[in-house]
Amino acid sequence: MNSHPLPRITPSKLGVSARGIIEFLDQIETLGLDLHSLMIVKSGQIVTEGWWEPYKANAPHLLYSLSKSFTSTAIGIAEHEGLLSINDTVVSFFPEKVEGDVHPFTAGLKIRHLLAMASGHVIDTWPAISVGDPDMVRNFLAIEPIKPPGTHFCYNQGCTYTLSAIISKVTGGTLLEYLRSRLFTPMGVETVEWLESPEGITQGFSGLYLETESIAKFGILQLHLGEWNGDQLVPAEYLKTAHEKHVENFDSSESSDWQQGYGFQFWVCRYDAYRGDGAFGQLCVMIPQCEAVVVCTAALADMQTELDTVWKYILPALSGSFEQDNAGDEELSLRLRNLTSSSSDLAIVDGPLSATFARSATVAPFTDHLLSLRVESSKNGTTLTLVTHDGEHNFDLVASKWSEGTLPSRHQPFLKASLLGGWVANDRFIVEVVWPTSPHRLLLRAEVGIESVFEAKWVTEPLGSAAKSKSVIESVRQNHA
């Protein structure tokens, strides 16, 4: 929920081309990109907003690594409050976590190096530090950098996690608690969750859940260099520095928008823009030349294509030079009210009156709690009962309509789920499961036979960091039950 919503205005009143945005939507559909939401802000006002059904405006969405830009913002606030300096060494905060002779690269590692993903490590440390000893900062500091800090870019979750741990060390609370009072509440952002590690430290590098409009507010804050409604929430000088290139990354990727340099947990883009982004298409793109922010939540693998489509269609539409076009504005408004998301075009047929399916021997990650499903004919369609470890969950399925209910998941904390599907043949049943708070969509395929079983398969499989936060997922779930 946003207690202070952003103002809305029709695109052409700010010289924005609604028809250009329609072309963007057409191309997204042609390319088969699974967008969940789109919000475009111009001069502090929302000119475009839409959610692909069953995703909703009031459902917070997992941001994955877009979370990192919020962590960076917290560091800037903490430095302004005198709690730290970005030139402080990391070991100065954790002397108890290093033993014996400290490698000179580790001893010289500074907060600014963590911010720039230039710790001197040459591979991501997360797989190593998140197993074994639960003290992940200790594990991080035990991995000696290969190169001098500040000289080499390596996208490293351990860097951002350690930044979060530093915030906890200097404040006595979590990163989320710190930002809630200093950033989220002043901006009117009420719905926010952030997963923690088993040791009680906010993930920092991932795990943040926000509504689309809250992401847009964050983008406006960045464009305005930390100023919000007359209050300076974040130091302007810090954000200027955070948005600039601090380390080259041209050889780290073949994708052009991942070769423009890296700031302090922000990516430098083409067209003098910068962004925070997260896996599977979570985007918050700041375009200073247009005084604009483009926000997307999604579930897609090719984020360069997503950005290319933004540059090709949305960037020209934001020039501010287009004349009043009431018809175009209305056409775009109608289009945005009728967006829908589905990974498959199912032709639903009549099936058996009832059938029960056990789970197949092949169990997809994060689905071991799904034990069986039962399908029964009903007056309006089909009643689907999913049996999990915590009980039964019923959904009334009607052809071509999303059915809403609750269903626990292993990869994210929110219970609300939407299902679409039914019998596609006399012996085959398919249903899509969407948690509107997650980028990930689950397909359940069941087949009648000698051994009637169902198989679960992710369209895009969740990343593994959620497995480290099961207890926190349960805690968040209880708060939203």
Side-chain angles (χ1 to χ4, degrees):
M1 180 184 297
N2 277 276
S3 59
H4 304 296
L6 295 170
R8 270 74 173 168
I9 192 169
T10 54
S12 64
K13 285 185 177 180
L14 289 181
V16 175
S17 170
R19 299 187 188 278
I21 298 170
I22 291 169
E23 290 179 350
F24 170 83
L25 296 174
D26 288 341
Q27 185 67 3
I28 289 295
E29 186 174 318
T30 298
L31 295 171
L33 300 183
D34 184 9
L35 256 62
H36 299 167
S37 71
L38 170 68
M39 185 169 285
I40 303 174
V41 175
K42 171 81 169 175
S43 302
Q45 302 178 82
I46 295 174
V47 295
T48 297
E49 58 182 323
W51 288 263
W52 279 255
E53 192 183 15
Y55 301 91
K56 295 177 174 60
N58 62 357
H61 198 281
L62 174 60
L63 305 191
Y64 275 122
S65 286
L66 177 48
S67 309
K68 292 179 172 71
S69 301
F70 290 81
T71 303
S72 172
T73 301
I75 292 291
I77 298 171
E79 183 176 50
H80 179 69
E81 293 181 349
L83 299 176
L84 55 82
S85 164
I86 62 171
N87 292 312
D88 288 339
T89 62
V90 177
V91 295
S92 68
F93 296 95
F94 307 106
E96 75 283 2
K97 297 183 185 295
V98 291
E99 300 173 356
D101 295 331
V102 180
H103 191 281
F105 290 169
T106 302
L109 181 61
K110 298 178 179 179
I111 289 178
R112 65 164 51 250
H113 300 140
L114 300 182
L115 287 165
M117 294 294 187
S119 62
H121 299 101
V122 296
I123 59 173
D124 184 7
T125 58
W126 184 252
I129 71 175
S130 59
V131 297
D133 188 335
D135 188 335
M136 289 187 275
V137 173
R138 181 186 297 275
N139 296 344
F140 176 76
L141 293 173
I143 301 174
E144 296 179 356
I146 302 299
K147 298 179 179 292
T151 65
H152 177 76
F153 173 80
C154 174
Y155 198 66
N156 187 346
Q157 317 295 355
C159 287
T160 318
Y161 182 80
T162 302
L163 291 171
S164 176
I166 289 172
I167 291 291
S168 292
K169 189 69 178 284
V170 300
T171 67
T174 66
L175 172 60
L176 174 56
E177 290 168 343
Y178 187 66
L179 282 181
R180 195 186 293 278
S181 62
R182 287 159 175 80
L183 192 77
F184 294 129
T185 297
M187 293 172 62
V189 175
E190 298 181 1
T191 302
V192 52
E193 294 291 350
W194 207 333
L195 299 183
E196 298 175 357
S197 70
E199 57 184 333
I201 295 173
T202 304
Q203 280 187 0
F205 63 89
S206 185
L208 179 59
Y209 288 80
L210 285 175
E211 297 171 4
T212 308
E213 185 168 345
S214 299
I215 306 170
K217 286 183 173 183
F218 179 74
I220 294 171
L221 181 77
Q222 300 302 318
L223 273 184
H224 293 172
L225 296 177
E227 188 271 332
W228 186 263
N229 289 340
D231 295 324
Q232 195 69 39
L233 302 184
V234 192
E237 285 305 313
Y238 176 82
L239 290 183
K240 287 179 184 177
T241 303
H243 303 155
E244 296 171 348
K245 178 170 66 175
H246 290 276
V247 61
E248 294 286 357
N249 61 352
F250 56 84
D251 60 350
S252 67
S253 171
E254 295 181 357
S255 299
S256 56
D257 279 295
W258 278 259
Q259 297 175 330
Q260 306 303 311
Y262 196 75
F264 284 171
Q265 308 285 294
F266 288 88
W267 295 91
V268 180
C269 303
R270 294 174 290 166
Y271 305 103
D272 296 320
Y274 55 94
R275 74 184 187 279
D277 73 29
F280 305 106
Q282 322 320 311
L283 287 179
C284 182
V285 184
M286 282 64 70
I287 313 174
Q289 63 170 301
C290 301
E291 200 181 341
V293 178
V294 178
V295 174
C296 297
T297 58
L300 49 89
D302 186 355
M303 292 178 64
Q304 185 60 66
T305 295
E306 180 185 22
L307 277 167
D308 288 343
T309 309
V310 169
W311 302 139
K312 184 174 181 179
Y313 297 100
I314 293 182
L315 181 60
L318 289 170
S319 69
S321 61
F322 293 91
E323 296 181 355
Q324 186 80 22
D325 182 3
N326 294 334
D329 290 342
E330 180 56 36
E331 183 180 348
L332 174 60
S333 177
L334 180 62
R335 180 75 172 271
L336 292 168
R337 292 196 300 268
N338 291 279
L339 299 171
T340 186
S341 171
S342 176
S343 65
S344 55
D345 187 13
L346 301 176
I348 304 302
V349 302
D350 292 332
L353 292 178
S354 66
T356 300
F357 303 90
R359 187 177 67 200
S360 72
T362 302
V363 181
F366 305 105
T367 65
D368 60 319
H369 65 302
L370 301 177
L371 304 178
S372 66
L373 63 85
R374 185 169 65 251
V375 183
E376 297 174 296
S377 178
S378 65
K379 181 179 179 181
N380 296 321
T382 300
T383 297
L384 171 65
T385 301
L386 283 162
V387 181
T388 70
H389 286 302
D390 71 339
E392 296 187 350
H393 304 269
N394 299 313
F395 295 84
D396 293 321
L397 302 181
V398 179
S400 302
K401 292 185 177 181
W402 289 96
S403 172
E404 297 184 351
T406 61
L407 181 67
S409 65
R410 290 285 195 238
H411 74 289
Q412 59 93 45
F414 298 92
L415 289 171
K416 290 184 179 179
S418 298
L419 275 65
L420 177 70
W423 291 102
V424 297
N426 191 54
D427 60 350
R428 281 185 292 129
F429 184 89
I430 297 177
V431 66
E432 296 182 41
V433 182
V434 163
W435 289 270
T437 49
S438 165
H440 304 289
R441 185 190 308 265
L442 187 66
L443 289 180
L444 303 179
R445 301 175 184 270
E447 190 163 345
V448 177
I450 298 175
E451 294 183 359
S452 294
V453 297
F454 78 91
E455 182 179 45
K457 183 179 180 181
W458 294 102
V459 177
T460 54
E461 184 178 313
L463 299 182
S465 60
K468 304 296 181 183
S469 305
K470 288 183 180 179
S471 61
V472 179
I473 283 178
E474 291 303 322
S475 174
V476 173
R477 183 170 292 155
Q478 290 173 10
N479 293 335
H480 290 266

mmCIF file of all heavy atoms in Angstrom, residues 100-128:
data_model
loop_
_atom_site.group_PDB
_atom_site.id
_atom_site.type_symbol
_atom_site.label_atom_id
_atom_site.label_comp_id
_atom_site.label_asym_id
_atom_site.label_seq_id
_atom_site.Cartn_x
_atom_site.Cartn_y
_atom_site.Cartn_z
ATOM 1 N N GLY A 100 44.278 -14.598 12.887
ATOM 2 C CA GLY A 100 45.650 -14.720 12.410
ATOM 3 C C GLY A 100 46.028 -13.581 11.492
ATOM 4 O O GLY A 100 45.498 -12.467 11.563
ATOM 5 N N ASP A 101 46.980 -13.866 10.623
ATOM 6 C CA ASP A 101 47.448 -12.860 9.675
ATOM 7 C C ASP A 101 46.402 -12.642 8.587
ATOM 8 O O ASP A 101 45.975 -13.582 7.920
ATOM 9 C CB ASP A 101 48.767 -13.300 9.035
ATOM 10 C CG ASP A 101 49.903 -13.379 10.055
ATOM 11 O OD1 ASP A 101 49.841 -12.621 11.043
ATOM 12 O OD2 ASP A 101 50.820 -14.194 9.858
ATOM 13 N N VAL A 102 45.995 -11.393 8.423
ATOM 14 C CA VAL A 102 44.975 -11.056 7.434
ATOM 15 C C VAL A 102 45.665 -10.730 6.113
ATOM 16 O O VAL A 102 46.621 -9.942 6.076
ATOM 17 C CB VAL A 102 44.127 -9.857 7.907
ATOM 18 C CG1 VAL A 102 43.073 -9.500 6.868
ATOM 19 C CG2 VAL A 102 43.483 -10.164 9.250
ATOM 20 N N HIS A 103 45.186 -11.327 5.041
ATOM 21 C CA HIS A 103 45.743 -11.046 3.725
ATOM 22 C C HIS A 103 45.651 -9.549 3.448
ATOM 23 O O HIS A 103 44.643 -8.898 3.771
ATOM 24 C CB HIS A 103 44.968 -11.840 2.665
ATOM 25 C CG HIS A 103 45.598 -11.837 1.315
ATOM 26 N ND1 HIS A 103 45.481 -10.774 0.444
ATOM 27 C CD2 HIS A 103 46.369 -12.764 0.679
ATOM 28 C CE1 HIS A 103 46.127 -11.036 -0.668
ATOM 29 N NE2 HIS A 103 46.689 -12.243 -0.556
ATOM 30 N N PRO A 104 46.689 -8.957 2.860
ATOM 31 C CA PRO A 104 46.666 -7.504 2.627
ATOM 32 C C PRO A 104 45.485 -7.037 1.776
ATOM 33 O O PRO A 104 44.999 -5.920 1.974
ATOM 34 C CB PRO A 104 48.006 -7.228 1.932
ATOM 35 C CG PRO A 104 48.620 -8.539 1.634
ATOM 36 C CD PRO A 104 47.984 -9.554 2.502
ATOM 37 N N PHE A 105 45.038 -7.857 0.836
ATOM 38 C CA PHE A 105 43.871 -7.460 0.035
ATOM 39 C C PHE A 105 42.621 -7.426 0.909
ATOM 40 O O PHE A 105 41.763 -6.545 0.749
ATOM 41 C CB PHE A 105 43.669 -8.412 -1.132
ATOM 42 C CG PHE A 105 44.711 -8.317 -2.212
ATOM 43 C CD1 PHE A 105 44.781 -9.272 -3.232
ATOM 44 C CD2 PHE A 105 45.642 -7.287 -2.218
ATOM 45 C CE1 PHE A 105 45.744 -9.194 -4.224
ATOM 46 C CE2 PHE A 105 46.614 -7.201 -3.220
ATOM 47 C CZ PHE A 105 46.662 -8.160 -4.212
ATOM 48 N N THR A 106 42.487 -8.384 1.824
ATOM 49 C CA THR A 106 41.350 -8.377 2.746
ATOM 50 C C THR A 106 41.439 -7.196 3.696
ATOM 51 O O THR A 106 40.443 -6.512 3.963
ATOM 52 C CB THR A 106 41.296 -9.695 3.537
ATOM 53 O OG1 THR A 106 41.209 -10.798 2.631
ATOM 54 C CG2 THR A 106 40.097 -9.723 4.465
ATOM 55 N N ALA A 107 42.646 -6.930 4.206
ATOM 56 C CA ALA A 107 42.842 -5.810 5.132
ATOM 57 C C ALA A 107 42.531 -4.480 4.471
ATOM 58 O O ALA A 107 42.050 -3.541 5.126
ATOM 59 C CB ALA A 107 44.274 -5.824 5.661
ATOM 60 N N GLY A 108 42.776 -4.365 3.158
ATOM 61 C CA GLY A 108 42.553 -3.112 2.441
ATOM 62 C C GLY A 108 41.180 -2.982 1.820
ATOM 63 O O GLY A 108 40.885 -1.966 1.172
ATOM 64 N N LEU A 109 40.341 -3.981 1.996
ATOM 65 C CA LEU A 109 39.005 -3.972 1.396
ATOM 66 C C LEU A 109 38.129 -2.926 2.093
ATOM 67 O O LEU A 109 37.941 -2.964 3.313
ATOM 68 C CB LEU A 109 38.378 -5.361 1.518
ATOM 69 C CG LEU A 109 36.989 -5.574 0.935
ATOM 70 C CD1 LEU A 109 36.964 -5.318 -0.559
ATOM 71 C CD2 LEU A 109 36.503 -6.995 1.247
ATOM 72 N N LYS A 110 37.568 -2.003 1.323
ATOM 73 C CA LYS A 110 36.776 -0.908 1.873
ATOM 74 C C LYS A 110 35.312 -1.037 1.470
ATOM 75 O O LYS A 110 34.962 -1.765 0.527
ATOM 76 C CB LYS A 110 37.324 0.439 1.387
ATOM 77 C CG LYS A 110 38.755 0.719 1.830
ATOM 78 C CD LYS A 110 39.241 2.047 1.260
ATOM 79 C CE LYS A 110 40.670 2.338 1.711
ATOM 80 N NZ LYS A 110 41.179 3.625 1.154
ATOM 81 N N ILE A 111 34.472 -0.298 2.168
ATOM 82 C CA ILE A 111 33.043 -0.280 1.834
ATOM 83 C C ILE A 111 32.845 0.123 0.381
ATOM 84 O O ILE A 111 32.012 -0.463 -0.325
ATOM 85 C CB ILE A 111 32.281 0.662 2.777
ATOM 86 C CG1 ILE A 111 32.199 0.064 4.183
ATOM 87 C CG2 ILE A 111 30.873 0.943 2.245
ATOM 88 C CD1 ILE A 111 31.509 0.952 5.197
ATOM 89 N N ARG A 112 33.585 1.094 -0.126
ATOM 90 C CA ARG A 112 33.426 1.533 -1.505
ATOM 91 C C ARG A 112 33.719 0.405 -2.491
ATOM 92 O O ARG A 112 33.126 0.360 -3.578
ATOM 93 C CB ARG A 112 34.281 2.751 -1.812
ATOM 94 C CG ARG A 112 35.774 2.541 -1.749
ATOM 95 C CD ARG A 112 36.544 3.681 -2.433
ATOM 96 N NE ARG A 112 36.168 4.999 -2.007
ATOM 97 C CZ ARG A 112 35.512 5.876 -2.772
ATOM 98 N NH1 ARG A 112 35.146 5.544 -4.006
ATOM 99 N NH2 ARG A 112 35.231 7.080 -2.339
ATOM 100 N N HIS A 113 34.604 -0.507 -2.136
ATOM 101 C CA HIS A 113 34.898 -1.645 -3.010
ATOM 102 C C HIS A 113 33.725 -2.622 -3.040
ATOM 103 O O HIS A 113 33.399 -3.178 -4.100
ATOM 104 C CB HIS A 113 36.166 -2.358 -2.541
ATOM 105 C CG HIS A 113 37.387 -1.493 -2.531
ATOM 106 N ND1 HIS A 113 38.334 -1.540 -1.530
ATOM 107 C CD2 HIS A 113 37.796 -0.517 -3.394
ATOM 108 C CE1 HIS A 113 39.291 -0.662 -1.780
ATOM 109 N NE2 HIS A 113 38.981 -0.028 -2.909
ATOM 110 N N LEU A 114 33.092 -2.837 -1.869
ATOM 111 C CA LEU A 114 31.893 -3.679 -1.845
ATOM 112 C C LEU A 114 30.796 -3.055 -2.694
ATOM 113 O O LEU A 114 30.106 -3.741 -3.451
ATOM 114 C CB LEU A 114 31.395 -3.848 -0.410
ATOM 115 C CG LEU A 114 32.323 -4.486 0.619
ATOM 116 C CD1 LEU A 114 31.614 -4.602 1.971
ATOM 117 C CD2 LEU A 114 32.795 -5.865 0.163
ATOM 118 N N LEU A 115 30.616 -1.751 -2.568
ATOM 119 C CA LEU A 115 29.568 -1.053 -3.321
ATOM 120 C C LEU A 115 29.769 -1.198 -4.823
ATOM 121 O O LEU A 115 28.798 -1.341 -5.583
ATOM 122 C CB LEU A 115 29.558 0.428 -2.943
ATOM 123 C CG LEU A 115 29.000 0.778 -1.567
ATOM 124 C CD1 LEU A 115 29.394 2.196 -1.175
ATOM 125 C CD2 LEU A 115 27.477 0.624 -1.541
ATOM 126 N N ALA A 116 31.014 -1.167 -5.269
ATOM 127 C CA ALA A 116 31.323 -1.198 -6.703
ATOM 128 C C ALA A 116 31.512 -2.612 -7.242
ATOM 129 O O ALA A 116 31.892 -2.772 -8.409
ATOM 130 C CB ALA A 116 32.581 -0.377 -6.967
ATOM 131 N N MET A 117 31.227 -3.631 -6.440
ATOM 132 C CA MET A 117 31.471 -5.016 -6.850
ATOM 133 C C MET A 117 32.921 -5.190 -7.308
ATOM 134 O O MET A 117 33.209 -5.836 -8.314
ATOM 135 C CB MET A 117 30.516 -5.437 -7.972
ATOM 136 C CG MET A 117 29.058 -5.508 -7.568
ATOM 137 S SD MET A 117 28.753 -6.808 -6.358
ATOM 138 C CE MET A 117 26.954 -6.779 -6.267
ATOM 139 N N ALA A 118 33.815 -4.579 -6.547
ATOM 140 C CA ALA A 118 35.239 -4.622 -6.890
ATOM 141 C C ALA A 118 36.045 -5.078 -5.677
ATOM 142 O O ALA A 118 37.046 -4.465 -5.301
ATOM 143 C CB ALA A 118 35.709 -3.252 -7.376
ATOM 144 N N SER A 119 35.593 -6.153 -5.065
ATOM 145 C CA SER A 119 36.234 -6.655 -3.852
ATOM 146 C C SER A 119 37.568 -7.346 -4.127
ATOM 147 O O SER A 119 38.316 -7.634 -3.192
ATOM 148 C CB SER A 119 35.306 -7.649 -3.145
ATOM 149 O OG SER A 119 35.049 -8.766 -3.986
ATOM 150 N N GLY A 120 37.834 -7.631 -5.389
ATOM 151 C CA GLY A 120 39.044 -8.363 -5.749
ATOM 152 C C GLY A 120 38.807 -9.846 -5.957
ATOM 153 O O GLY A 120 39.682 -10.564 -6.439
ATOM 154 N N HIS A 121 37.621 -10.316 -5.594
ATOM 155 C CA HIS A 121 37.268 -11.707 -5.901
ATOM 156 C C HIS A 121 36.971 -11.827 -7.398
ATOM 157 O O HIS A 121 36.538 -10.849 -8.033
ATOM 158 C CB HIS A 121 36.051 -12.144 -5.090
ATOM 159 C CG HIS A 121 36.279 -12.094 -3.600
ATOM 160 N ND1 HIS A 121 35.817 -11.061 -2.813
ATOM 161 C CD2 HIS A 121 36.937 -12.943 -2.770
ATOM 162 C CE1 HIS A 121 36.166 -11.278 -1.553
ATOM 163 N NE2 HIS A 121 36.844 -12.413 -1.499
ATOM 164 N N VAL A 122 37.175 -12.995 -7.937
ATOM 165 C CA VAL A 122 36.970 -13.168 -9.378
ATOM 166 C C VAL A 122 35.755 -14.038 -9.690
ATOM 167 O O VAL A 122 35.379 -14.188 -10.851
ATOM 168 C CB VAL A 122 38.228 -13.754 -10.051
ATOM 169 C CG1 VAL A 122 39.393 -12.772 -9.940
ATOM 170 C CG2 VAL A 122 38.613 -15.102 -9.453
ATOM 171 N N ILE A 123 35.138 -14.615 -8.641
ATOM 172 C CA ILE A 123 33.874 -15.325 -8.803
ATOM 173 C C ILE A 123 32.972 -14.947 -7.631
ATOM 174 O O ILE A 123 33.448 -14.509 -6.574
ATOM 175 C CB ILE A 123 34.044 -16.869 -8.856
ATOM 176 C CG1 ILE A 123 34.699 -17.389 -7.583
ATOM 177 C CG2 ILE A 123 34.819 -17.289 -10.095
ATOM 178 C CD1 ILE A 123 34.727 -18.904 -7.503
ATOM 179 N N ASP A 124 31.688 -15.093 -7.830
ATOM 180 C CA ASP A 124 30.720 -14.787 -6.778
ATOM 181 C C ASP A 124 31.010 -15.656 -5.555
ATOM 182 O O ASP A 124 31.127 -16.880 -5.652
ATOM 183 C CB ASP A 124 29.312 -15.053 -7.310
ATOM 184 C CG ASP A 124 28.215 -14.680 -6.334
ATOM 185 O OD1 ASP A 124 28.519 -14.080 -5.284
ATOM 186 O OD2 ASP A 124 27.039 -14.996 -6.618
ATOM 187 N N THR A 125 31.087 -15.037 -4.392
ATOM 188 C CA THR A 125 31.414 -15.770 -3.166
ATOM 189 C C THR A 125 30.197 -16.440 -2.525
ATOM 190 O O THR A 125 30.351 -17.259 -1.622
ATOM 191 C CB THR A 125 32.034 -14.826 -2.125
ATOM 192 O OG1 THR A 125 31.116 -13.760 -1.854
ATOM 193 C CG2 THR A 125 33.351 -14.260 -2.626
ATOM 194 N N TRP A 126 28.986 -16.086 -2.976
ATOM 195 C CA TRP A 126 27.787 -16.565 -2.277
ATOM 196 C C TRP A 126 27.702 -18.088 -2.179
ATOM 197 O O TRP A 126 27.384 -18.611 -1.098
ATOM 198 C CB TRP A 126 26.533 -15.998 -2.934
ATOM 199 C CG TRP A 126 25.273 -16.381 -2.190
ATOM 200 C CD1 TRP A 126 24.321 -17.266 -2.581
ATOM 201 C CD2 TRP A 126 24.868 -15.899 -0.917
ATOM 202 N NE1 TRP A 126 23.339 -17.369 -1.641
ATOM 203 C CE2 TRP A 126 23.651 -16.537 -0.599
ATOM 204 C CE3 TRP A 126 25.405 -14.997 -0.003
ATOM 205 C CZ2 TRP A 126 22.958 -16.294 0.590
ATOM 206 C CZ3 TRP A 126 24.724 -14.748 1.183
ATOM 207 C CH2 TRP A 126 23.516 -15.395 1.468
ATOM 208 N N PRO A 127 27.960 -18.839 -3.233
ATOM 209 C CA PRO A 127 27.849 -20.299 -3.090
ATOM 210 C C PRO A 127 28.756 -20.862 -1.985
ATOM 211 O O PRO A 127 28.407 -21.842 -1.328
ATOM 212 C CB PRO A 127 28.269 -20.823 -4.474
ATOM 213 C CG PRO A 127 27.944 -19.708 -5.405
ATOM 214 C CD PRO A 127 28.260 -18.454 -4.631
ATOM 215 N N ALA A 128 29.904 -20.211 -1.783
ATOM 216 C CA ALA A 128 30.837 -20.704 -0.766
ATOM 217 C C ALA A 128 30.466 -20.232 0.630
ATOM 218 O O ALA A 128 30.578 -20.995 1.597
ATOM 219 C CB ALA A 128 32.258 -20.253 -1.113
#
